[in-house]
Each structure stands twice: as structure tokens, then as C-alpha cells.
Amino acid sequence: MKSKLKIFFFCFVLAWLFPTVTVHAEKTIYTYNYDFWGIERESPDSYRAEVTVMGHSLGIGDFKDPQGLFVRGNLIYICDTGNNRIVVLKKDTEAITVVEEFGEVGGETAATALLGPQDIYAAANGDMYIADTGNQRILHIDAGHRVVKEMRKPEDETVDKLSDFLPVKVVADRSGRTFALAKNYNKGYLVYGSDGIFTGYVGASEVKFNMVDYLWKMVSTKEQRAQLEQFVPTEYNNIALDKDGFIYTTTSVFDENELLKDEAKPIRKLNSMGVDILIKNGWYPPIGDISWGNAGGVTGPSKFVDITALDNDTYYALDRTRGRIFGYDFQGNLLYVFGGLGNKLGYFQLPAAIEHMGHELLVLDSKSAGLTFFSPTEYGSLINQALAEYKRGNYDISSEYWEKVLMMDGNNDLAYIGIGRSLLRQGKYKEAMTYFELKYDDNNYSKAFQLYRKQWIEANIGWIFVLFFLAVLLPAAAGFVRKVKKEVEEI
């Protein structure tokens, strides 16, 4: 007995000194989403990385620090910044081939070389707009590389005449107006008319200057006040046009504390007046990751560096912090997140630009100097089809696609909401309420409830009137009977 007690005591001491530690292998998730509670949920892959194309594999030498990417039809335009050239590729069903590469533009004037071009936009007629950063100009050239016009530093009293003009991003609308972002310009994006004349800025952010800044400025020295003047509107870092001509912008300059309050607005959709009209009906604003820590030396929130908008009004933002791609629908709901930092196919070292070709996504990595092609999986295609049919007004078909999504991923909250929205559009309000209630979608539930109440009243209006008159007339009739009876009894 004593020996058993000794063994028990010995085991107790060991357990106390060396408690059991459960060891888990590091969990790596490639595709995920966030649920209503903000918990990261693994989901089936929505996109599959097909191939990464390098310059040497195309026979044109390696790309060097490429920064700009644009897609028109099946043509892919790359700003090979470090090599001072533009490369145009063509993607067919079977191969990716080189159409041309050039580093000089000419025309009536002598040919000049590009110097560190950082972005390119190609119009439908083949004209190209190039942010020729090193030469401090924006070029408009035709398909034969002849210069149509040059856009230089704005002659504006608000612009420091001694500062350099470094355009980094450029797009153009159908009327030939050019929109550009320039480094250290924080008044929004620059607008040039079709004649190349600077017409002003659009989309400047509201300047935030709080009381603490004001008081500090009153007591600070001249040198310190000069530093305070650096509190300026947000500077955008990229710009993209959607199919309707609205401008999407991204910024990575913000206060982290303002993200979840939707004051930072790292993604904006601007109308012609520069007003942000991005719809945000999701549980969280489109800010990328809604929680972040410090893992592998990477810390801080998502920092978007580029964005592309598909024809079904979904948009994809590229995060440089963790090399991830965030997809959002037209209501601002997060569809899925995929990607990461690394050296494997489907991962990035320093993502610089994102574009789309149909539903395919292309991501340019400036460090690895590669262009990666992503194609939607069956799961991703079903989501895209569900959204597209909803936009076309085919709500019953959209609902069928969402049902298939749920068969593959029962945790997809957006599928429940998508079915609910389709039922709502079909007038099946009570059924829609069930789906919205399941996923805590209070806004849509309220809409469905109001419409269901209106529908119920219209369907039962006859009975309501009957009951109303009965409620009014019966007491009156009873009173009349009692009055007559009383008069008869008094006779």
C-alpha cells in the first residue's frame, strides 16, 4: 500500500513539474472568409494559381522591378520599370506569347527613351497612356508608338514649382480625359482634358486636423510648425476604372484605429465629382483583414496597393502586407480571401499590381518579377455566376447557384444571404426572412419584414375591413338594442 502511495505521489509531482503541453502544427489556410462574429473560417479555394510567367521564359530577358499592369481583351501590358520598357503579351487558350516590347516613343519629334515607366493604360483603339515617371511626363501614344501628346507638371499656383513631377499611375476615360496620380500630390487625382491641358484635381480627401494639433501648433516653433504642415489629405496609391467609368482608388496611408470605424476608407469608388459612392452593406467595411497580429515578422493591417473591378461589379484588392487578394461583391460583402507571402506558386514576395481578364485574375510581383495567372475554381465560378445572375435580374437562377455553393461550403454565410436576397426579389418575403435571420442580417431582414407585413395586409384587407366594421358597429348596434329595449320597458 505504501509503495502505491509513493508511486502516486511521484506521478503527481512529475505532472505538476511537467504539465502536459498540446502541440499543434502551424495551420496554413490558403482561402478563408470571416463570419458574423469576425472569426476566420477556412473555405474551399475560389481561385487556382495556374502559372507564373517570367521574362526569360518568354525569351525577352527577365523583368526588373515591374510596377504597372493593364489588360485589354486578351492583351496584357506590363510596365517593366527597371528595364525602361513596355512589354505587350497576348494570351490565347493555349499559350502566352510576346506581341512587342519597346522602350522608345517618337513621331514628329525625335525618338525619346522611356525612363522608369510605372504604369500604363491602353484604350480600345490601341492608344496607350504611360506614366513615364523618370521623364516627369504622362505620355499619350498611338499604336505605332507615335506621341499624340505629352502631359507635364501642372501650371497651378498650388503646385511647388521647385518640386519634381513624378506620375506613377494613369487611366483615361472614353472621352480622352486622363486621370493620374503623382507622387507627393495629395489633392486627389490630376485630371487632364482630351487636349492634354490640366483642368484640376478630383477626389481629395477631407483634411483631419484635431484640437490637439491646433493647440500644439500655437505653442510650437517655426520648425515644428513646418513639420505639422505634413498633416495633409490622404494620398492615393493606385487608380482603376470599372466598366461604367467609375474610378476605384486605394490608399495605404491611414490611422489603424480608424479602419474598423470605416473612417480610413482604404478603398473608394469615386463618381465624377470625386464623391465616394462605394456601397458597404457587409458586416465589416472593405478594409482587408479585420484582425491582425504579428506572425513571421509581418504585422499591421492590410495595405492595398491595387484594385480591379470585374464586369459583375465585384472587385478585388491586392494587399501588400500579407500578399493576399480580397474579393468583394457589389454590396461590399467579403467573398473570400486567398494568397499569401512565399515562393510557391500562388504566393507573392512583393505584389505590385492586379488586373482581370474576364473572371481570371493576374497579379504582378515586382520582387520575383513574375506574372501569376489565377483561374476560378468550380466553387469560385458558382459564386461569380450567382452574383452575375442576380445583377441580370434572374433571381431564381441566382438562388440555384447559391444552393450549389452551400452544398460545397455550408459555412458560406453569403450564400444564405444571397438566397435570401433572391427570394426577396421574387416576392417571397417570409421565406427570405428565414435566411436573413439565420445569418443575423438585420438590414435585409427588416426590409423583408416590412414587405411581408405590407403583403399580408394587402392579402387580408377584406377581413380587416370586416373586423373593423364589426368592431365599430357591434357596440353601436348593441347600444341601440339596449336603448330600444329600455324605451319599450318604460312604456
Side-chain angles (χ1 to χ4, degrees), residues 231-253:
F231 288 91
V232 294
T234 300
E235 183 178 334
Y236 301 126
N237 59 16
N238 219 320
I239 186 171
L241 285 177
D242 71 1
K243 69 181 193 314
D244 299 318
F246 289 104
I247 291 177
Y248 282 80
T249 64
T250 55
T251 179
S252 57
V253 181

Side-chain angles (χ1 to χ4, degrees), residues 179-291:
F179 309 104
L181 295 177
K183 192 174 181 180
N184 298 326
Y185 278 60
N186 45 39
K187 299 179 178 63
Y189 53 85
L190 298 88
V191 182
Y192 294 84
S194 57
D195 53 3
I197 296 176
F198 174 70
T199 59
Y201 303 93
V202 175
S205 300
E206 182 182 356
V207 180
K208 295 178 179 178
F209 192 84
N210 58 38
M211 182 58 70
V212 175
D213 296 327
Y214 178 74
L215 294 175
W216 173 246
K217 191 172 183 178
M218 291 181 65
V219 298
S220 59
T221 63
K222 182 178 179 181
E223 291 74 17
Q224 289 170 332
R225 284 198 297 273
Q227 291 293 320
L228 275 177
E229 288 174 1
Q230 294 178 8
F231 288 91
V232 294
T234 300
E235 183 178 334
Y236 301 126
N237 59 16
N238 219 320
I239 186 171
L241 285 177
D242 71 1
K243 69 181 193 314
D244 299 318
F246 289 104
I247 291 177
Y248 282 80
T249 64
T250 55
T251 179
S252 57
V253 181
F254 48 74
D255 183 342
E256 292 182 18
N257 298 319
E258 296 179 339
L259 277 171
L260 288 176
K261 294 185 291 185
D262 195 29
E263 295 176 355
K265 301 178 180 178
I267 297 176
R268 304 178 193 192
K269 181 180 180 180
L270 306 177
N271 63 14
S272 58
M273 303 299 291
V275 178
D276 182 16
I277 58 170
L278 190 69
I279 298 174
K280 302 170 186 175
N281 288 333
W283 289 323
Y284 303 95
I287 60 172
D289 282 313
I290 61 173
S291 59

Side-chain angles (χ1 to χ4, degrees), residues 21 31 62 84-85 136 154 213 238 259 275 279 322 376 433:
V21 177
T31 306
D62 283 329
N84 302 313
R85 65 176 177 175
Q136 301 194 39
D213 296 327
N238 219 320
L259 277 171
V275 178
I279 298 174
R322 294 177 180 79
M433 288 164 56

